[in-house]
Amino acid sequence: MEGATGGPARLVCRNVWKLFGPRAGAWLAANGPAPAPEAIAAAGLVAAVRGVNLEVRAGEIFVIMGLSGSGKSTLVRCLARLIEPTAGEILFEGRDLLSASEAEMTRIRRHKMGMVFQHFALLPHLSVLENVAFPLEIQGMGRAEREERARRMIALVGLAGREGAFPRQLSGGQQQRVGIARSLAAEPELWFLDEPFSALDPLIRREMQDEFLRLQRMLHKTIVFITHDFDEAIRLADRIAIMKDGAVEQSGTPEQIVLLPATPYVAEFTRAVPRAKVVRLGSVMRPPEGPAPARSLPATATVAEAAPAFLEGAEVVGVTDAAGRLVGHLDRRAVVDLMLGG
């Protein structure tokens, strides 16, 4: 995606904390700026988010991942101020959300933020069309306009013709598509998705990932996506942040996370990830020499995506930039070395 990893920061969080317990804010103010986990526990407090610093760039898919209890869902709820952070700054398009009134936050959530959660939360007594149009009705949009936009969103997620169906008449994957269409109806500038596919069967989950990537190629949303599945993360993410015990252990591209783990925890977390799935051709190509190969792939493709060309007999594959210009050659030997752990 053009600009996905190099665009301006749309969402910034600086030293964000969320402690649960009595007088958590006063305690943190007296013991900050970075109290040790042992001191927090000794005070009878629970640290769900600890000193998180992140930037989410315009147009990128930023994945937050970690094991259950790592704080990823709490962090996202803090970013949208569905939960009040204990301390820190959260800037959305330069506006400090923590200084915004509740009425202003409600307007921002209704008009600029979209949210999709693991549980579809469709209204069972409303049709697909009515479910998708519901947030627009809350905004005060007229019936004809909101239904016209809802129909466009329903078609966008591949459910044209099912506008009159009720949630109970849909499969799990179809219900999740309705949830995505409902979230997109408000045309959000920032989109939060909290494990949206984890309740789906593996085949349907893969299909929904494909659908999600298709939508992103069309819409170029700024997305914060939560998952605990590394395969899902490396398939979807422009950048990843890995959390442990409420803190971010490392953030970077999937390639950086796997090849250059910053901590022993990240190294262990990514140990089983095949390198070929994350290493981009631009990282292992050599300068082009001689005639252009018969087959070329973009520099952003992974080695795993290039492997079939070598299985079909190619010795060298061309590597191209975003404009389609030849910028390198990838040899069979380099692919074999990488896939064998070299």
Side-chain angles (χ1 to χ4, degrees):
M1 264 163 283
E2 184 176 346
T5 58
R10 177 153 286 178
L11 179 69
V12 179
C13 72
R14 297 174 180 158
N15 197 32
V16 171
W17 289 77
K18 179 58 183 176
L19 304 182
F20 290 99
R23 295 179 52 80
W27 185 91
L28 184 60
N31 292 272
E38 297 78 12
I40 297 171
L45 303 173
V46 176
V49 175
R50 297 189 294 120
V52 169
N53 295 283
L54 290 176
E55 289 190 358
V56 181
R57 300 167 187 163
E60 79 171 331
I61 302 175
F62 190 96
V63 171
I64 301 174
M65 63 180 313
L67 301 178
S68 179
S70 62
K72 54 190 186 296
S73 292
T74 302
L75 173 60
V76 165
R77 282 158 175 76
C78 285
L79 296 179
R81 264 192 69 191
L82 297 173
I83 295 175
E84 281 301 313
T86 306
E89 283 186 302
I90 298 173
L91 306 176
F92 175 50
E93 298 181 335
R95 173 73 165 98
D96 184 2
L97 297 184
L98 300 191
S99 66
S101 67
E102 187 52 47
E104 186 178 358
M105 279 306 309
T106 298
R107 287 194 297 273
I108 290 172
R109 292 191 203 103
R110 284 181 179 174
H111 296 279
K112 294 197 170 189
M113 292 180 178
M115 300 177 193
V116 180
F117 298 104
Q118 176 179 349
H119 302 291
F120 317 132
L122 302 181
L123 298 170
H125 61 289
L126 298 184
S127 68
V128 167
L129 181 66
E130 292 166 334
N131 262 287
V132 174
F134 184 72
L136 304 177
E137 183 178 0
I138 296 298
Q139 290 180 9
M141 185 180 290
R143 180 172 179 176
E145 185 181 359
R146 70 176 183 259
E147 289 192 353
E148 189 277 331
R149 188 185 295 182
R151 290 181 190 278
R152 282 194 288 111
M153 296 302 107
I154 290 166
L156 194 64
V157 300
L159 287 178
R162 302 306 306 274
E163 291 86 352
F166 288 89
R168 65 179 179 276
Q169 298 172 310
L170 303 176
S171 68
Q174 289 173 327
Q175 290 181 36
Q176 190 61 293
R177 287 171 187 255
V178 176
I180 288 172
R182 180 178 61 187
S183 179
L184 287 174
E187 299 182 343
E189 297 174 23
L190 177 62
W191 205 14
F192 295 110
L193 297 100
D194 189 351
E195 303 216 41
F197 309 142
S198 62
L200 304 176
D201 293 335
L203 181 59
I204 298 174
R205 182 171 185 161
R206 180 83 178 186
E207 291 173 353
M208 287 303 301
Q209 291 169 4
D210 291 339
E211 180 71 11
F212 177 76
L213 290 170
R214 181 185 71 83
L215 288 172
Q216 179 62 350
R217 284 192 293 271
M218 296 172 58
L219 302 175
H220 305 289
K221 296 295 182 183
T222 302
I223 296 170
V224 178
F225 190 107
I226 293 179
T227 183
H228 63 270
D229 183 325
F230 211 102
D231 281 341
E232 182 167 77
I234 61 177
R235 185 158 191 247
L236 301 180
D238 292 303
R239 291 188 299 139
I240 297 172
I242 295 181
M243 294 188 70
K244 175 178 180 283
D245 298 333
V248 172
E249 291 275 306
Q250 184 176 356
S251 64
T253 66
E255 195 172 22
Q256 290 167 340
I257 295 284
V258 173
L259 298 183
L260 300 168
T263 68
Y265 179 80
V266 175
E268 180 61 24
F269 197 90
T270 62
R271 180 173 55 84
V273 178
R275 290 186 173 193
K277 283 189 175 184
V278 297
V279 174
R280 307 289 174 177
L281 303 191
S283 298
V284 291
M285 69 183 186
R286 60 174 173 82
E289 296 175 2
R295 182 160 180 187
S296 295
L297 291 165
T300 53
T302 64
V303 170
E305 291 169 332
F310 294 99
L311 290 174
E312 293 165 6
E315 291 295 329
V316 179
V317 168
V319 182
T320 58
D321 63 12
R325 295 183 294 260
L326 185 70
V327 293
H329 285 172
L330 179 67
D331 299 314
R332 174 191 290 269
R333 182 75 254 170
V335 172
V336 171
D337 285 348
L338 184 80
M339 297 186 80
L340 292 178

